[in-house]
Amino acid sequence: MFRRWITLCCLVLTLLSAAAAQLTRPERTNDEETSRYEDVIAFLDSLPPNPSVLKFGWLGYSPAGRRLPMAVYGDVPDIRPETVRRSGKLVVYVQGNIHAGEVEGKEAMLELLRELARGGHAEWRRRLIVIIVPIFNADGNENISLFNRPYQYGPVAGMGQRANGQGLDLNRDHTKLESPEVRAFVSLLDRYDPHIVVDLHTTNGSFHGYHITYSHALHPALDGPLDAFQRTSFFPAVHKRMTARKWRVHRYGDYLERTPAGKPGYFYWAHEPRYNSNYVGLRNRIAVLSEAYSYVTFRTRIDATKALVEAVLDEANANSRAIRAAVAAADERAVQLPTTDSLAVRGEIVESSPAESLLLAPVREVCNPYSGQTMYLMKEESLRTVVTAEFYGTRALRSAAVPEGYLIPDSLRAVADLVRDHGIRIDTVQQRRTVTAGRFLITADRLSEREFQKHRMRTVEGRYETVTLDVPAGTLFVPLDQPLSRLAMQLLEPESEDGVVAWNVMDRYRGNGSVYSIVTIIPKR
Ligand SMILES: [Zn+2]
């Protein structure tokens, strides 16, 4: 009798601990704490096994060697890249926690994975495969402090840090690829080729009156029709799905009394390819930047982030054919890029609409009971509307003629490695030949005063001259008749704000300082 009683107690305890494990750490702590790396792994391990639709693997490693868990949801027999690509389904990739103080994406994705494991959202399996990486910046996540992001309204028991384990901002690393996390992400793009990439954040100092905001890719060198598709079709549809669920949602930005244009407006500042969303756009894919509002409760941010991901997936599922067609057509146009005259290599954000309704709300100050620090909370009762200019347009500050491709001396190993790491095809010149080439003469060359991401970024200016060159066998050639041509130009053009010159990759190869050693093949027009 006694033994049976003990057995029964053990069984109840096991069931209770399994049920507890199926709660996220915020759910177990009244939203006071965020999940640690070990909590994420334990939570994923505790999900009811449903291997026919939900499988697990690893994206890669953090600098400290933590494996980055990855879940794949959909009707595929295994999660090999070729299996996923050949499924013919629309592939959506979602990542949380790239900035590890911005933790609701991680929590929202754990909650979503629990629903998927229990059979929820079965309709998505008809047309989608969803890849979820909940804790992208695993090392930063573990550096918990009650004093990180002090004004953010919780979690009050602290959150991780912005940078990864190398002290790098992962959302500035998408062209130079110095972090193992972003290298793993780019490798995933090359292997799984997702049509849509969703990157989950929390606002970082902007003020407005919304629960959550979003942005698409911004860059003047984006494929025009795909840019129009995301601006006029995909995002308005996602927006509508959010407002139907009563979320206050808008594009991401900050209301400024004085924008760089010198007047008030709602402004978003980031167009460079180093950012996840712009990088994905330059690869002819649809990017979703999600920014939950720092000054609403942690629970509201988790729920709003989960709702935005669901709205994206619902829209992707409803319109998978149109999305696939838009992306495929952009790839085809990219292959034809050498028939275009020029492409932007430096840009800026400009006004896109002179008068839009924008919700604003003041914040009240609330004391964090544990740290004693001031946090901000939106005053929901004081929402007001202003009509103001919005800045979502882009404009080229400098453009370059589009060549047939770039010739890279085979001694420039680091350049060739970086280009290959992005998945860009490189051919090798088999026989010595004479070509008409564009050679860039540098007339101005400066390093930034301030260090940024452990670099002093380089800016050069100059002009191309036409020369006849003898090209030895073994020279590397990056042809632009390939889908990643837009990205290749951003990496290799000397005046690019995010390429091998800007990020000092070329510094070690500086011979004759006035001539850029990568030359272009001029197209015959
Ligand atoms: Zn962020």
Side-chain angles (χ1 to χ4, degrees):
M1 181 65 193
F2 180 68
R3 194 177 297 165
R4 273 173 63 190
W5 187 78
I6 292 281
T7 312
L8 190 66
C9 281
C10 287
L11 183 67
V12 169
L13 280 174
T14 309
L15 286 171
L16 280 175
S17 69
Q22 280 177 38
L23 293 178
T24 65
R25 188 152 173 166
E27 289 169 334
R28 284 186 276 123
T29 63
N30 195 27
D31 294 325
E32 291 205 341
E33 297 178 4
T34 188
S35 301
R36 298 349 186 219
Y37 176 77
E38 292 303 333
D39 295 321
V40 172
I41 301 299
F43 181 89
L44 297 176
D45 283 345
S46 78
L47 292 177
N50 194 354
S52 64
V53 295
L54 186 59
K55 303 173 183 65
F56 294 93
W58 307 98
L59 174 73
Y61 292 89
S62 74
R66 292 186 176 92
R67 294 207 286 185
L68 308 176
M70 174 175 106
V72 180
Y73 176 73
D75 282 328
V76 275
D78 61 71
I79 61 168
R80 288 178 305 155
E82 54 273 29
T83 309
V84 169
R85 281 202 320 271
R86 279 190 211 131
S87 69
K89 297 194 175 173
L90 190 83
V91 182
V92 184
Y93 170 88
V94 189
Q95 67 180 21
N97 225 53
I98 184 171
H99 291 146
E102 307 171 8
V103 289
E104 58 277 355
K106 170 186 61 184
E107 310 297 355
M109 289 308 94
L110 296 183
E111 292 183 18
L112 183 63
L113 283 166
R114 181 176 56 202
E115 286 179 19
L116 298 177
R118 291 174 179 174
H121 298 293
E123 72 281 6
W124 290 344
R125 300 211 308 269
R126 283 185 63 200
R127 301 198 184 97
L128 303 183
I129 291 177
V130 186
I131 303 175
I132 296 177
V133 172
I135 183 164
F136 188 66
N137 179 0
D139 292 355
N141 187 76
E142 299 307 277
N143 213 350
I144 300 270
S145 166
L146 270 68
F147 300 94
N148 285 341
R149 297 174 64 82
Y151 294 105
Q152 179 170 300
Y153 198 82
V156 290
M159 60 287 258
Q161 67 180 29
R162 183 176 183 87
N164 80 337
Q166 299 160 283
L168 294 176
D169 185 334
L170 297 178
N171 203 23
R172 307 292 183 272
D173 194 39
H174 286 76
T175 51
K176 60 187 171 65
L177 303 186
E178 291 176 330
S179 66
E181 297 92 336
V182 176
R183 294 178 68 82
F185 166 73
V186 169
S187 163
L188 177 134
L189 297 186
D190 289 333
R191 291 175 298 127
Y192 286 86
D193 195 18
H195 302 84
I196 300 175
V197 168
V198 187
D199 188 28
L200 305 174
H201 292 250
T202 318
T203 58
N204 194 26
S206 42
F207 287 92
H208 53 62
Y210 299 96
H211 298 118
I212 192 162
T213 50
Y214 59 81
S215 179
H216 44 71
L218 291 168
H219 196 279
L222 294 180
D223 176 80
L226 185 60
D227 192 22
F229 177 80
Q230 63 174 6
R231 285 173 186 259
T232 61
S233 176
F234 182 76
F235 277 91
V238 170
H239 188 115
K240 223 166 136 185
R241 288 174 185 275
M242 286 296 280
T243 53
R245 292 175 64 175
K246 308 290 182 229
W247 290 105
R248 292 201 306 274
V249 62
H250 199 76
R251 293 211 276 198
Y252 176 44
D254 190 13
Y255 179 68
L256 304 174
E257 290 296 340
R258 193 178 166 82
T259 60
K263 63 177 193 176
Y266 190 66
F267 187 77
Y268 176 42
W269 49 90
H271 69 278
E272 294 95 334
R274 70 194 67 155
Y275 292 87
N276 176 286
S277 51
N278 305 331
Y279 175 77
V280 167
L282 284 163
R283 296 178 63 114
N284 317 319
R285 297 295 177 266
I286 291 175
V288 180
L289 168 68
S290 163
E291 294 273 355
Y293 192 47
S294 288
Y295 312 133
V296 293
T297 67
F298 184 32
R299 175 45 54 186
T300 304
R301 300 197 321 260
I302 295 171
D303 293 346
T305 301
K306 180 162 169 285
L308 184 67
V309 172
E310 288 168 340
V312 166
L313 292 170
D314 284 341
E315 176 58 23
N317 197 39
N319 282 306
S320 65
R321 192 176 293 180
I323 295 165
R324 282 220 309 269
V327 160
D331 274 353
E332 280 171 27
R333 286 186 293 272
V335 171
Q336 303 296 324
L337 195 68
T339 63
T340 315
D341 284 343
S342 68
L343 198 70
V345 293
R346 305 185 74 82
E348 66 173 347
I349 301 287
V350 294
E351 184 174 329
S352 51
S353 163
E356 290 278 337
S357 284
L358 182 75
L359 278 179
L360 295 177
V363 291
R364 67 167 53 89
E365 296 189 354
V366 181
C367 182
N368 178 323
Y370 302 119
S371 69
Q373 300 279 301
T374 298
M375 305 181 294
Y376 291 155
L377 183 63
M378 187 197 290
K379 280 181 156 175
E380 297 272 346
E381 68 280 12
S382 306
L383 283 170
R384 69 189 172 96
T385 303
V386 295
V387 175
T388 191
E390 296 214 356
F391 291 76
Y392 274 97
T394 58
R395 179 169 69 191
L397 284 178
R398 195 165 288 266
S399 295
V402 179
E404 268 185 38
Y406 296 88
L407 287 167
I408 305 177
D410 69 347
S411 57
L412 271 56
R413 268 286 141 72
V415 174
D417 287 347
L418 182 65
V419 170
R420 277 196 200 95
D421 289 342
H422 282 279
I424 295 166
R425 192 181 93 232
I426 302 185
D427 300 336
T428 304
V429 175
Q430 298 298 331
Q431 283 185 339
R432 170 177 285 271
R433 55 189 253 226
T434 303
V435 298
T436 305
R439 185 166 64 184
F440 189 80
L441 301 177
I442 298 168
T443 55
D445 183 349
R446 58 184 182 275
L447 283 175
S448 64
E449 292 289 320
R450 276 195 15 219
E451 199 175 78
F452 176 65
Q453 297 298 305
K454 309 192 181 205
H455 285 266
R456 288 181 64 200
M457 293 190 74
R458 185 178 294 280
T459 307
V460 302
E461 288 171 27
R463 60 184 164 76
Y464 276 100
E465 60 172 8
T466 303
V467 292
T468 303
L469 280 183
D470 231 14
V471 179
T475 301
L476 303 173
F477 181 57
V478 181
L480 287 194
D481 59 351
Q482 59 175 316
L484 294 179
S485 55
R486 293 172 192 279
L487 176 62
M489 276 193 74
Q490 301 306 318
L491 293 173
L492 293 174
E493 275 299 326
E495 293 185 316
S496 162
E497 61 202 321
D498 244 342
V500 293
V501 170
W503 289 110
N504 313 115
V505 182
M506 285 296 289
D507 285 13
R508 72 185 85 172
Y509 304 118
R510 292 170 68 78
N512 179 352
S514 66
V515 175
Y516 184 54
S517 48
I518 299 172
V519 302
T520 62
I521 296 290
I522 297 170
K524 296 176 192 73
R525 289 208 171 92

